[in-house]
């Protein structure tokens, strides 16, 4: 049972519109979920409208509404034309006495009356024990048995505040599954981070159904994450769940977008870092065999591998990333690219695919056969100083030193370069454009320049965190292109 649309929507700040519930329900159905808890019909007319919209879709999944053990709740569920109800009875003495202000016998009578009423009206009934992990197990078992006698089709054990541990869970479900003649379900919360482990333990103990949500969303610390349980069963237990696992990531992204709940970058399977690699030794292993540092293939849940580069990047990392970008480089070009990546990494930056492509293309331009090479340059600029630049170039094998002034440091540098090559080629700067590839004051910037010579025009680029250095790089690249042409 997926309860993203009911328990998941109870996450603080989440309120799904009717059409959004329908979109998610369609995706869950396509995923292969057996039961979709579409909401709680008692909540409001808007909620009932949304549940009716889901039932009207004619999905393969059984459509369920949450109900308290009250006839009114069942009547509202019937209005929504659902297939089943998740009929929830508080079963711990704490809940019975404090919340309901009743005793066990009164609670049992209410639960059985509601079960009979729902069955008389043609509904599938899953009788659920709320706060079951703090309930007396003998009383709970007796309630389940009595519920089955009056028609309950399934029963559910709810670890409402996440207090179970796997060893205890397995014991409980071995006992319940042997004592109850209908499928027993598990519903866990993640207050101690144990929801997935406890759900797997319950299934090992004999549970036939598990309640889960996409991305593990829900009240407080959330519910059991469906994608995690499914992949644990499929990959670690070799059990065929019938779920289309390659659609899990798309489903995760849809739920995240519509609920506005971001998925933590380190969340298993669907988090941003789950199939992202940076450290050089890991990527070196991936080049040989992706299973060295990936327990499953990213494609198995509809994802792609990502290589993120930083100060840990080595040649293997960069080679793999360039390969995935479709770029081929030789050893000297690779060394230059790696050096630039590490330089950015040392400044605390992560180099994205867009960054790497920009760096690589700039480097590939540099390593063409160059007749003009920059040896060094110095720029002086300030609020009371005229921008002045001195440049030292090697032009067709001859060293030339020149200086220039301009409206700014880039303009002054270009003027110095233009003067230095004036006896060799007459170059004009036609356009100059700067883009920040990433945000922040230390962003990688890409400079595009358009240069002309005797009616011929080229566009070239430079990429650095230093805007002046990127500009000089772009200009020198462009000059060499024009001279070659």
């Amino acid at each position: 049972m997926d309860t993203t649309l009911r328990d998941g929507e109870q996450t603080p700040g989440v309120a799904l519109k009717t059409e959004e519930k329908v979109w998610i329900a369609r995706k869950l159905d396509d995923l292969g979920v057996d039961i979709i808890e579409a909401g709680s019909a008692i909540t409001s007319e808007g909620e009932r409208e949304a549940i009716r919209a889901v039932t009207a879709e004619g999905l393969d999944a059984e459509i369920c509404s949450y109900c308290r053990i009250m006839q009114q709740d069942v009547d509202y569920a019937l209005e929504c034309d659902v297939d089943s109800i998740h009929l929830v009875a508080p079963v711990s003495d704490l809940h019975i006495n404090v919340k309901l202000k009743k005793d066990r016998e009164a609670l049992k009578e209410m639960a059985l009356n509601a079960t009979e009423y729902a069955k008389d009206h043609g509904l599938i009934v899953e009788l659920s024990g709320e706060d079951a992990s703090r309930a007396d197990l003998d009383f709970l078992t007796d309630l389940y048995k009595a519920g089955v006698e009056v028609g309950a089709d399934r029963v559910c054990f709810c670890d409402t505040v996440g207090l179970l541990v796997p060893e205890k869970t397995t014991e409980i479900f071995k006992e319940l599954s042997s004592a109850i003649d209908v499928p027993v379900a598990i519903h866990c919360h993640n207050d101690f981070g144990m929801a997935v482990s406890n759900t797997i333990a319950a299934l090992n103990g004999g549970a036939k159904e598990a309640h889960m949500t996409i991305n593990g969303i829900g009240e407080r610390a959330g519910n059991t994450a469906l994608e995690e349980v499914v992949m644990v069963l499929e990959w670690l237990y070799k059990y065929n769940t019938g779920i289309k696992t390659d659609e899990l990531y798309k489903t995760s992204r849809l739920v995240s977008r519509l609920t506005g709940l971001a998925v933590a970058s380190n969340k298993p399977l669907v988090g941003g870092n789950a199939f992202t690699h940076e450290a050089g030794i890991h990527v070196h292993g991936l080049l040989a065999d992706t299973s060295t540092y990936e327990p499953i293939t990213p494609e198995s849940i509809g994802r792609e591998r990502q290589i993120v580069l930083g100060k840990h990047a080595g040649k293997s990392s960069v080679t793999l990333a360039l390969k995935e970008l479709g770029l081929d480089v030789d050893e000297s070009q690779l060394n230059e690219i790696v050096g630039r990546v590490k330089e950015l990494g040392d400044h605390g930056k992560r180099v994205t695919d867009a960054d790497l492509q920009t760096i690589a293309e700039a480097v590939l331009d540099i390593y063409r056969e160059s007749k003009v090479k920059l040896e060094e340059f110095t720029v002086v600029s300030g609020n009371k100083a005229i921008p002045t630049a001195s440049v030292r170039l090697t032009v067709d094998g001859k060293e030339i030193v020149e200086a220039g002034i301009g409206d700014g440091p880039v303009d002054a540098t270009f003027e110095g370069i233009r003067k230095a090559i004036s006896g060799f080629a007459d170059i004009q700067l036609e356009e100059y454009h700067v883009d920040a590839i990433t945000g922040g004051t230390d962003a990688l910037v890409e400079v595009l320049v358009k240069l002309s010579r005797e009616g011929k025009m080229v566009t070239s680029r430079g990429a650095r965190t230093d805007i002046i250095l990127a500009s000089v790089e772009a200009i020198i690249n462009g000059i060499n292109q024009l001279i070659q042409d």
Side-chain angles (χ1 to χ4, degrees):
M1 177 194 279
D2 183 278
T3 183
T4 302
L5 299 179
R6 197 276 301 176
D7 220 348
E9 195 191 19
Q10 290 177 201
T11 304
V14 175
L16 294 167
K17 299 174 185 175
T18 294
E19 61 268 26
E20 292 171 337
K21 281 206 170 192
V22 170
W23 292 341
I24 292 173
R26 285 176 187 156
K27 192 61 185 172
L28 292 172
D29 191 58
D30 181 55
L31 198 62
V33 166
D34 299 296
I35 309 162
I36 298 172
E37 190 171 30
S40 177
I42 189 65
T43 302
S44 67
E45 179 52 40
E47 180 80 338
R48 290 189 285 278
E49 177 188 324
I51 296 172
R52 283 193 289 267
V54 172
T55 59
E57 286 290 304
L59 303 176
D60 290 333
E62 176 186 309
I63 307 302
C64 178
S65 172
Y66 177 96
C67 289
R68 297 170 300 175
I69 47 174
M70 299 176 67
Q71 181 178 321
Q72 181 187 22
D73 287 41
V74 179
D75 287 336
Y76 275 128
L78 288 165
E79 283 184 23
C80 298
D81 198 28
V82 294
D83 303 304
S84 64
I85 59 169
H86 178 206
L87 187 64
V88 181
V91 290
S92 69
D93 289 331
L94 175 64
H95 277 228
I96 295 169
N97 299 332
V98 175
K99 189 169 78 169
L100 288 187
K101 301 191 186 313
K102 297 185 181 296
D103 58 23
R104 290 183 181 183
E105 285 307 310
L107 176 279
K108 182 178 178 181
E109 183 179 358
M110 289 175 66
L112 298 181
N113 287 341
T115 301
E116 285 189 288
Y117 182 77
K119 290 303 297 180
D120 288 344
H121 287 79
L123 290 167
I124 298 168
V125 175
E126 182 166 321
L127 179 59
S128 195
E130 183 181 17
D131 201 29
S133 47
R134 290 191 288 192
D136 175 69
L137 192 57
D138 290 336
F139 167 69
L140 181 63
T141 305
D142 179 64
L143 175 65
Y144 286 157
K145 286 181 175 179
V148 172
E149 286 178 8
V150 297
D153 301 277
R154 305 184 292 262
V155 298
C156 179
F157 183 106
C158 296
D159 185 22
T160 302
V161 291
L163 296 175
L164 286 177
V165 293
E167 299 86 353
K168 182 66 174 176
T169 304
T170 302
E171 289 178 17
I172 290 170
F173 276 82
K174 282 181 178 178
E175 187 171 331
L176 286 177
S177 59
S178 62
I180 309 297
D181 294 330
V182 298
V184 183
I186 178 67
H187 178 113
C188 289
H189 282 260
N190 203 36
D191 297 79
F192 284 87
M194 302 289 279
V196 170
S197 297
N198 287 328
T199 297
I200 297 296
L203 294 169
N204 267 329
K208 301 298 183 189
E209 176 193 340
H211 293 196
M212 298 172 281
T213 63
I214 299 297
N215 298 333
I217 66 172
E219 296 181 73
R220 304 183 313 280
N223 290 45
T224 304
L226 181 144
E227 63 280 356
E228 293 178 29
V229 170
V230 166
M231 296 308 286
V232 166
L233 292 175
E234 293 269 356
W235 282 76
L236 303 185
Y237 287 88
K238 310 304 180 185
Y239 180 82
N240 181 7
T241 63
I243 295 294
K244 296 178 184 175
T245 61
D246 59 353
E247 292 294 316
L248 283 170
Y249 185 61
K250 290 179 184 176
T251 310
S252 167
R253 298 306 306 145
L254 176 68
V255 170
S256 176
R257 180 168 59 84
L258 294 182
T259 59
L261 298 173
V263 174
S265 60
N266 66 333
K267 187 183 184 304
L269 303 169
V270 294
N273 290 344
F275 296 96
T276 299
H277 306 272
E278 177 182 342
I281 189 170
H282 280 207
V283 178
H284 182 75
L286 287 171
L287 278 169
D289 185 338
T290 57
S291 66
T292 51
Y293 289 103
E294 288 177 347
I296 64 173
T297 63
E299 293 80 12
S300 65
I301 59 168
R303 299 198 63 175
E304 294 179 355
R305 182 177 301 105
Q306 288 187 311
I307 306 299
V308 175
L309 305 172
K311 68 179 181 181
H312 301 113
K315 288 184 180 180
S316 296
S317 309
V318 176
T319 299
L320 183 57
L322 289 171
K323 182 179 177 182
E324 296 200 354
L325 289 173
L327 296 171
D328 292 319
V329 297
D330 62 27
E331 188 69 18
S332 60
Q333 292 165 346
L334 178 61
N335 289 337
E336 176 67 22
I337 293 168
V338 170
R340 295 195 186 195
V341 167
K342 285 184 174 291
E343 182 183 342
L344 287 168
D346 285 338
H347 286 86
K349 294 186 64 62
R350 294 174 65 183
V351 178
T352 66
D353 288 352
D355 295 334
L356 181 64
Q357 184 157 1
T358 300
I359 290 169
E361 288 174 355
V363 168
L364 290 175
D365 275 342
I366 288 172
Y367 277 83
R368 292 182 181 191
E369 186 180 349
S370 302
K371 292 188 177 181
V372 177
K373 294 181 181 179
L374 176 71
E375 302 299 338
E376 65 174 307
F377 76 97
T378 305
V379 180
V380 177
S381 185
N383 64 334
K384 292 185 179 180
I386 296 173
T388 305
S390 64
V391 297
R392 183 163 63 89
L393 304 177
T394 299
V395 180
D396 203 18
K398 181 182 177 182
E399 187 175 289
I400 299 174
V401 177
E402 267 292 354
I405 60 173
D407 293 331
V410 173
D411 189 41
T413 305
F414 176 71
E415 181 61 21
I417 294 171
R418 192 185 63 77
K419 287 167 67 177
I421 65 170
S422 59
F424 184 73
D426 185 23
I427 306 292
Q428 300 298 320
L429 176 63
E430 303 292 341
E431 290 184 22
Y432 174 83
H433 184 73
V434 180
D435 271 323
I437 304 300
T438 48
T441 56
D442 61 344
L444 178 71
V445 295
E446 179 183 50
V447 173
L448 295 175
V449 297
K450 188 177 286 186
L451 302 175
S452 65
R453 178 195 182 205
E454 298 175 356
K456 295 178 181 178
M457 197 169 293
V458 298
T459 299
S460 66
R461 75 179 74 211
R464 298 278 186 171
T465 52
D466 184 318
I467 190 172
I468 301 174
L469 189 54
S471 301
V472 171
E473 185 173 88
I475 291 165
I476 296 296
N477 289 346
I479 289 170
N480 281 302
Q481 287 181 50
L482 281 172
I483 292 170
Q484 287 173 354
D485 293 340

